[in-house]
mmCIF file of all heavy atoms in Angstrom:
data_model
loop_
_atom_site.group_PDB
_atom_site.id
_atom_site.type_symbol
_atom_site.label_atom_id
_atom_site.label_comp_id
_atom_site.label_asym_id
_atom_site.label_seq_id
_atom_site.Cartn_x
_atom_site.Cartn_y
_atom_site.Cartn_z
ATOM 1 N N GLY A 1 0.826 -1.192 -0.006
ATOM 2 C CA GLY A 1 0.004 -0.003 -0.012
ATOM 3 C C GLY A 1 0.864 1.240 -0.010
ATOM 4 O O GLY A 1 1.946 1.278 -0.592
ATOM 5 N N ASN A 2 0.393 2.279 0.677
ATOM 6 C CA ASN A 2 1.071 3.562 0.713
ATOM 7 C C ASN A 2 2.142 3.571 1.822
ATOM 8 O O ASN A 2 1.910 4.018 2.939
ATOM 9 C CB ASN A 2 0.051 4.662 0.941
ATOM 10 C CG ASN A 2 0.635 6.053 0.761
ATOM 11 O OD1 ASN A 2 1.667 6.197 0.127
ATOM 12 N ND2 ASN A 2 0.002 7.060 1.326
ATOM 13 N N ILE A 3 3.312 3.026 1.461
ATOM 14 C CA ILE A 3 4.409 2.892 2.425
ATOM 15 C C ILE A 3 5.360 4.076 2.300
ATOM 16 O O ILE A 3 5.904 4.318 1.228
ATOM 17 C CB ILE A 3 5.191 1.578 2.219
ATOM 18 C CG1 ILE A 3 4.246 0.375 2.197
ATOM 19 C CG2 ILE A 3 6.278 1.444 3.300
ATOM 20 C CD1 ILE A 3 3.519 0.149 3.477
ATOM 21 N N PHE A 4 5.584 4.761 3.389
ATOM 22 C CA PHE A 4 6.542 5.863 3.406
ATOM 23 C C PHE A 4 7.949 5.294 3.620
ATOM 24 O O PHE A 4 8.129 4.251 4.233
ATOM 25 C CB PHE A 4 6.213 6.852 4.510
ATOM 26 C CG PHE A 4 4.877 7.535 4.370
ATOM 27 C CD1 PHE A 4 4.336 8.260 5.424
ATOM 28 C CD2 PHE A 4 4.150 7.473 3.183
ATOM 29 C CE1 PHE A 4 3.115 8.897 5.308
ATOM 30 C CE2 PHE A 4 2.934 8.096 3.053
ATOM 31 C CZ PHE A 4 2.400 8.814 4.116
ATOM 32 N N SER A 5 8.953 6.035 3.146
ATOM 33 C CA SER A 5 10.313 5.569 3.304
ATOM 34 C C SER A 5 10.769 5.641 4.766
ATOM 35 O O SER A 5 11.634 4.877 5.182
ATOM 36 C CB SER A 5 11.265 6.379 2.424
ATOM 37 O OG SER A 5 11.187 7.758 2.774
ATOM 38 N N SER A 6 10.208 6.550 5.520
ATOM 39 C CA SER A 6 10.565 6.679 6.930
ATOM 40 C C SER A 6 9.430 6.126 7.779
ATOM 41 O O SER A 6 8.354 6.719 7.860
ATOM 42 C CB SER A 6 10.816 8.131 7.287
ATOM 43 O OG SER A 6 11.082 8.244 8.681
ATOM 44 N N ASN A 7 9.637 4.988 8.369
ATOM 45 C CA ASN A 7 8.632 4.398 9.224
ATOM 46 C C ASN A 7 9.290 3.504 10.275
ATOM 47 O O ASN A 7 10.485 3.239 10.182
ATOM 48 C CB ASN A 7 7.604 3.576 8.416
ATOM 49 C CG ASN A 7 8.249 2.457 7.617
ATOM 50 O OD1 ASN A 7 8.924 1.598 8.190
ATOM 51 N ND2 ASN A 7 8.029 2.436 6.322
ATOM 52 N N VAL A 8 8.523 3.088 11.200
ATOM 53 C CA VAL A 8 8.974 2.156 12.216
ATOM 54 C C VAL A 8 8.114 0.889 12.114
ATOM 55 O O VAL A 8 6.884 0.984 12.104
ATOM 56 C CB VAL A 8 8.878 2.714 13.649
ATOM 57 C CG1 VAL A 8 9.350 1.691 14.681
ATOM 58 C CG2 VAL A 8 9.682 4.005 13.778
ATOM 59 N N MET A 9 8.750 -0.239 11.999
ATOM 60 C CA MET A 9 8.018 -1.488 11.936
ATOM 61 C C MET A 9 8.338 -2.283 13.194
ATOM 62 O O MET A 9 9.406 -2.125 13.792
ATOM 63 C CB MET A 9 8.404 -2.313 10.701
ATOM 64 C CG MET A 9 8.107 -1.596 9.401
ATOM 65 S SD MET A 9 8.382 -2.625 7.945
ATOM 66 C CE MET A 9 6.896 -3.633 7.964
ATOM 67 N N GLY A 10 7.420 -3.099 13.608
ATOM 68 C CA GLY A 10 7.660 -3.818 14.854
ATOM 69 C C GLY A 10 6.735 -4.986 15.069
ATOM 70 O O GLY A 10 5.826 -5.240 14.245
ATOM 71 N N TRP A 11 6.994 -5.689 16.127
ATOM 72 C CA TRP A 11 6.202 -6.846 16.554
ATOM 73 C C TRP A 11 5.731 -6.632 17.974
ATOM 74 O O TRP A 11 6.495 -6.179 18.839
ATOM 75 C CB TRP A 11 7.042 -8.125 16.468
ATOM 76 C CG TRP A 11 7.384 -8.540 15.084
ATOM 77 C CD1 TRP A 11 8.529 -8.244 14.407
ATOM 78 C CD2 TRP A 11 6.566 -9.301 14.206
ATOM 79 N NE1 TRP A 11 8.467 -8.788 13.153
ATOM 80 C CE2 TRP A 11 7.273 -9.466 13.009
ATOM 81 C CE3 TRP A 11 5.301 -9.915 14.310
ATOM 82 C CZ2 TRP A 11 6.768 -10.170 11.916
ATOM 83 C CZ3 TRP A 11 4.799 -10.625 13.241
ATOM 84 C CH2 TRP A 11 5.523 -10.745 12.046
ATOM 85 N N TYR A 12 4.480 -6.942 18.188
ATOM 86 C CA TYR A 12 3.853 -6.923 19.508
ATOM 87 C C TYR A 12 3.217 -8.292 19.728
ATOM 88 O O TYR A 12 2.991 -9.025 18.781
ATOM 89 C CB TYR A 12 2.798 -5.815 19.583
ATOM 90 C CG TYR A 12 3.386 -4.432 19.499
ATOM 91 C CD1 TYR A 12 3.872 -3.932 18.287
ATOM 92 C CD2 TYR A 12 3.446 -3.604 20.607
ATOM 93 C CE1 TYR A 12 4.413 -2.657 18.201
ATOM 94 C CE2 TYR A 12 3.972 -2.315 20.514
ATOM 95 C CZ TYR A 12 4.462 -1.861 19.327
ATOM 96 O OH TYR A 12 5.003 -0.605 19.245
ATOM 97 N N ARG A 13 2.909 -8.591 20.963
ATOM 98 C CA ARG A 13 2.241 -9.857 21.261
ATOM 99 C C ARG A 13 1.197 -9.709 22.343
ATOM 100 O O ARG A 13 1.310 -8.800 23.183
ATOM 101 C CB ARG A 13 3.251 -10.937 21.631
ATOM 102 C CG ARG A 13 3.971 -10.699 22.971
ATOM 103 C CD ARG A 13 5.069 -11.741 23.159
ATOM 104 N NE ARG A 13 5.752 -11.567 24.437
ATOM 105 C CZ ARG A 13 6.841 -12.265 24.797
ATOM 106 N NH1 ARG A 13 7.349 -13.189 23.991
ATOM 107 N NH2 ARG A 13 7.399 -12.046 25.993
ATOM 108 N N GLN A 14 0.235 -10.587 22.298
ATOM 109 C CA GLN A 14 -0.846 -10.575 23.302
ATOM 110 C C GLN A 14 -1.141 -11.998 23.708
ATOM 111 O O GLN A 14 -1.578 -12.802 22.894
ATOM 112 C CB GLN A 14 -2.077 -9.891 22.768
ATOM 113 C CG GLN A 14 -3.161 -9.686 23.816
ATOM 114 C CD GLN A 14 -4.241 -8.730 23.354
ATOM 115 O OE1 GLN A 14 -4.399 -8.449 22.178
ATOM 116 N NE2 GLN A 14 -5.015 -8.205 24.313
ATOM 117 N N ALA A 15 -0.875 -12.278 24.988
ATOM 118 C CA ALA A 15 -1.197 -13.591 25.556
ATOM 119 C C ALA A 15 -2.606 -13.560 26.117
ATOM 120 O O ALA A 15 -3.134 -12.484 26.422
ATOM 121 C CB ALA A 15 -0.195 -13.942 26.632
ATOM 122 N N PRO A 16 -3.228 -14.722 26.245
ATOM 123 C CA PRO A 16 -4.604 -14.752 26.781
ATOM 124 C C PRO A 16 -4.710 -14.071 28.123
ATOM 125 O O PRO A 16 -3.913 -14.322 29.043
ATOM 126 C CB PRO A 16 -4.896 -16.248 26.895
ATOM 127 C CG PRO A 16 -4.008 -16.877 25.882
ATOM 128 C CD PRO A 16 -2.752 -16.066 25.859
ATOM 129 N N GLY A 17 -5.680 -13.169 28.266
ATOM 130 C CA GLY A 17 -5.898 -12.472 29.521
ATOM 131 C C GLY A 17 -4.928 -11.368 29.824
ATOM 132 O O GLY A 17 -4.978 -10.771 30.912
ATOM 133 N N LYS A 18 -4.056 -11.055 28.882
ATOM 134 C CA LYS A 18 -3.051 -10.008 29.102
ATOM 135 C C LYS A 18 -3.155 -8.920 28.049
ATOM 136 O O LYS A 18 -3.750 -9.124 26.989
ATOM 137 C CB LYS A 18 -1.650 -10.600 29.094
ATOM 138 C CG LYS A 18 -1.367 -11.570 30.230
ATOM 139 C CD LYS A 18 0.082 -12.000 30.265
ATOM 140 C CE LYS A 18 0.390 -12.888 31.445
ATOM 141 N NZ LYS A 18 1.829 -13.271 31.501
ATOM 142 N N GLN A 19 -2.558 -7.774 28.351
ATOM 143 C CA GLN A 19 -2.554 -6.687 27.410
ATOM 144 C C GLN A 19 -1.513 -6.923 26.293
ATOM 145 O O GLN A 19 -0.539 -7.636 26.519
ATOM 146 C CB GLN A 19 -2.254 -5.368 28.117
ATOM 147 C CG GLN A 19 -3.385 -4.887 29.021
ATOM 148 C CD GLN A 19 -3.138 -3.469 29.535
ATOM 149 O OE1 GLN A 19 -2.025 -3.040 29.645
ATOM 150 N NE2 GLN A 19 -4.221 -2.772 29.859
ATOM 151 N N ARG A 20 -1.744 -6.291 25.169
ATOM 152 C CA ARG A 20 -0.756 -6.365 24.114
ATOM 153 C C ARG A 20 0.511 -5.658 24.563
ATOM 154 O O ARG A 20 0.468 -4.567 25.163
ATOM 155 C CB ARG A 20 -1.303 -5.719 22.840
ATOM 156 C CG ARG A 20 -0.453 -5.935 21.590
ATOM 157 C CD ARG A 20 -1.189 -5.441 20.351
ATOM 158 N NE ARG A 20 -2.449 -6.112 20.123
ATOM 159 C CZ ARG A 20 -3.165 -5.974 19.004
ATOM 160 N NH1 ARG A 20 -2.748 -5.148 18.061
ATOM 161 N NH2 ARG A 20 -4.314 -6.589 18.887
ATOM 162 N N GLU A 21 1.681 -6.266 24.256
ATOM 163 C CA GLU A 21 2.950 -5.697 24.693
ATOM 164 C C GLU A 21 3.952 -5.644 23.559
ATOM 165 O O GLU A 21 3.902 -6.445 22.609
ATOM 166 C CB GLU A 21 3.525 -6.535 25.851
ATOM 167 C CG GLU A 21 3.873 -7.959 25.490
ATOM 168 C CD GLU A 21 4.546 -8.720 26.636
ATOM 169 O OE1 GLU A 21 4.613 -8.177 27.758
ATOM 170 O OE2 GLU A 21 4.962 -9.859 26.426
ATOM 171 N N LEU A 22 4.866 -4.719 23.696
ATOM 172 C CA LEU A 22 5.947 -4.597 22.695
ATOM 173 C C LEU A 22 6.878 -5.774 22.788
ATOM 174 O O LEU A 22 7.244 -6.235 23.860
ATOM 175 C CB LEU A 22 6.756 -3.320 23.009
ATOM 176 C CG LEU A 22 8.079 -3.170 22.270
ATOM 177 C CD1 LEU A 22 7.843 -2.801 20.815
ATOM 178 C CD2 LEU A 22 8.957 -2.117 22.953
ATOM 179 N N VAL A 23 7.268 -6.295 21.596
ATOM 180 C CA VAL A 23 8.335 -7.297 21.514
ATOM 181 C C VAL A 23 9.602 -6.643 20.993
ATOM 182 O O VAL A 23 10.646 -6.685 21.624
ATOM 183 C CB VAL A 23 7.925 -8.472 20.617
ATOM 184 C CG1 VAL A 23 9.073 -9.470 20.476
ATOM 185 C CG2 VAL A 23 6.664 -9.139 21.152
ATOM 186 N N ALA A 24 9.504 -6.014 19.832
ATOM 187 C CA ALA A 24 10.669 -5.370 19.237
ATOM 188 C C ALA A 24 10.224 -4.432 18.117
ATOM 189 O O ALA A 24 9.197 -4.652 17.495
ATOM 190 C CB ALA A 24 11.636 -6.420 18.646
ATOM 191 N N THR A 25 11.017 -3.377 17.914
ATOM 192 C CA THR A 25 10.781 -2.456 16.819
ATOM 193 C C THR A 25 12.080 -2.174 16.080
ATOM 194 O O THR A 25 13.163 -2.353 16.635
ATOM 195 C CB THR A 25 10.178 -1.136 17.297
ATOM 196 O OG1 THR A 25 11.106 -0.496 18.195
ATOM 197 C CG2 THR A 25 8.838 -1.299 17.978
ATOM 198 N N ILE A 26 11.956 -1.706 14.839
ATOM 199 C CA ILE A 26 13.104 -1.396 14.033
ATOM 200 C C ILE A 26 12.744 -0.213 13.139
ATOM 201 O O ILE A 26 11.676 -0.210 12.506
ATOM 202 C CB ILE A 26 13.587 -2.593 13.211
ATOM 203 C CG1 ILE A 26 14.865 -2.275 12.458
ATOM 204 C CG2 ILE A 26 12.501 -3.156 12.303
ATOM 205 C CD1 ILE A 26 15.561 -3.497 11.871
ATOM 206 N N THR A 27 13.621 0.803 13.098
ATOM 207 C CA THR A 27 13.388 1.950 12.246
ATOM 208 C C THR A 27 13.875 1.658 10.827
ATOM 209 O O THR A 27 14.500 0.631 10.557
ATOM 210 C CB THR A 27 14.155 3.165 12.774
ATOM 211 O OG1 THR A 27 15.559 2.912 12.707
ATOM 212 C CG2 THR A 27 13.774 3.476 14.227
ATOM 213 N N ALA A 28 13.579 2.564 9.911
ATOM 214 C CA ALA A 28 13.969 2.371 8.542
ATOM 215 C C ALA A 28 15.473 2.311 8.361
ATOM 216 O O ALA A 28 15.972 1.639 7.437
ATOM 217 C CB ALA A 28 13.374 3.495 7.680
ATOM 218 N N ASP A 29 16.214 2.947 9.241
ATOM 219 C CA ASP A 29 17.682 2.936 9.130
ATOM 220 C C ASP A 29 18.309 1.848 10.013
ATOM 221 O O ASP A 29 19.517 1.800 10.143
ATOM 222 C CB ASP A 29 18.283 4.280 9.474
ATOM 223 C CG ASP A 29 18.018 4.714 10.897
ATOM 224 O OD1 ASP A 29 17.365 3.945 11.641
ATOM 225 O OD2 ASP A 29 18.442 5.823 11.273
ATOM 226 N N GLY A 30 17.459 0.997 10.603
ATOM 227 C CA GLY A 30 17.968 -0.205 11.284
ATOM 228 C C GLY A 30 18.148 -0.117 12.786
ATOM 229 O O GLY A 30 18.636 -1.079 13.391
ATOM 230 N N SER A 31 17.754 0.979 13.396
ATOM 231 C CA SER A 31 17.840 1.056 14.861
ATOM 232 C C SER A 31 16.772 0.158 15.491
ATOM 233 O O SER A 31 15.611 0.206 15.076
ATOM 234 C CB SER A 31 17.657 2.484 15.325
ATOM 235 O OG SER A 31 18.713 3.305 14.836
ATOM 236 N N THR A 32 17.191 -0.607 16.487
ATOM 237 C CA THR A 32 16.259 -1.598 17.083
ATOM 238 C C THR A 32 16.010 -1.317 18.549
ATOM 239 O O THR A 32 16.818 -0.661 19.242
ATOM 240 C CB THR A 32 16.844 -3.005 16.942
ATOM 241 O OG1 THR A 32 18.120 -3.051 17.589
ATOM 242 C CG2 THR A 32 16.992 -3.405 15.497
ATOM 243 N N ASN A 33 14.890 -1.835 19.015
ATOM 244 C CA ASN A 33 14.485 -1.738 20.389
ATOM 245 C C ASN A 33 13.802 -3.042 20.779
ATOM 246 O O ASN A 33 12.975 -3.539 20.012
ATOM 247 C CB ASN A 33 13.556 -0.551 20.614
ATOM 248 C CG ASN A 33 13.106 -0.427 22.062
ATOM 249 O OD1 ASN A 33 13.928 -0.424 22.960
ATOM 250 N ND2 ASN A 33 11.817 -0.320 22.290
ATOM 251 N N TYR A 34 14.155 -3.599 21.939
ATOM 252 C CA TYR A 34 13.623 -4.904 22.349
ATOM 253 C C TYR A 34 13.025 -4.810 23.766
ATOM 254 O O TYR A 34 13.516 -4.079 24.628
ATOM 255 C CB TYR A 34 14.695 -5.973 22.370
ATOM 256 C CG TYR A 34 15.255 -6.340 21.029
ATOM 257 C CD1 TYR A 34 16.390 -5.716 20.540
ATOM 258 C CD2 TYR A 34 14.664 -7.333 20.261
ATOM 259 C CE1 TYR A 34 16.927 -6.044 19.303
ATOM 260 C CE2 TYR A 34 15.191 -7.700 19.028
ATOM 261 C CZ TYR A 34 16.326 -7.043 18.554
ATOM 262 O OH TYR A 34 16.864 -7.413 17.321
ATOM 263 N N ALA A 35 12.029 -5.633 24.000
ATOM 264 C CA ALA A 35 11.579 -5.866 25.357
ATOM 265 C C ALA A 35 12.662 -6.625 26.093
ATOM 266 O O ALA A 35 13.383 -7.456 25.516
ATOM 267 C CB ALA A 35 10.279 -6.677 25.372
ATOM 268 N N ASN A 36 12.832 -6.332 27.379
ATOM 269 C CA ASN A 36 13.889 -6.989 28.172
ATOM 270 C C ASN A 36 13.745 -8.496 28.148
ATOM 271 O O ASN A 36 14.753 -9.248 28.155
ATOM 272 C CB ASN A 36 13.866 -6.481 29.594
ATOM 273 C CG ASN A 36 14.381 -5.064 29.734
ATOM 274 O OD1 ASN A 36 15.187 -4.615 28.924
ATOM 275 N ND2 ASN A 36 13.919 -4.359 30.751
#
């Protein structure tokens, strides 16, 4: 679709009975962030 060159992509997860939480993200230039 309409994908911009500058974006952040990531993964989140949701276990039964729990809130959705961050797993990891990565920017367009490769900077990453992880859940502990």
Side-chain angles (χ1 to χ4, degrees):
N2 190 20
I3 308 297
F4 297 167
S5 60
S6 176
N7 59 57
V8 179
M9 300 187 78
W11 292 94
Y12 293 73
R13 67 186 181 187
Q14 187 166 17
K18 295 187 177 181
Q19 290 190 334
R20 190 172 299 188
E21 63 177 7
L22 167 75
V23 176
T25 60
I26 184 168
T27 64
D29 63 1
S31 296
T32 59
N33 179 51
Y34 293 93
N36 287 334

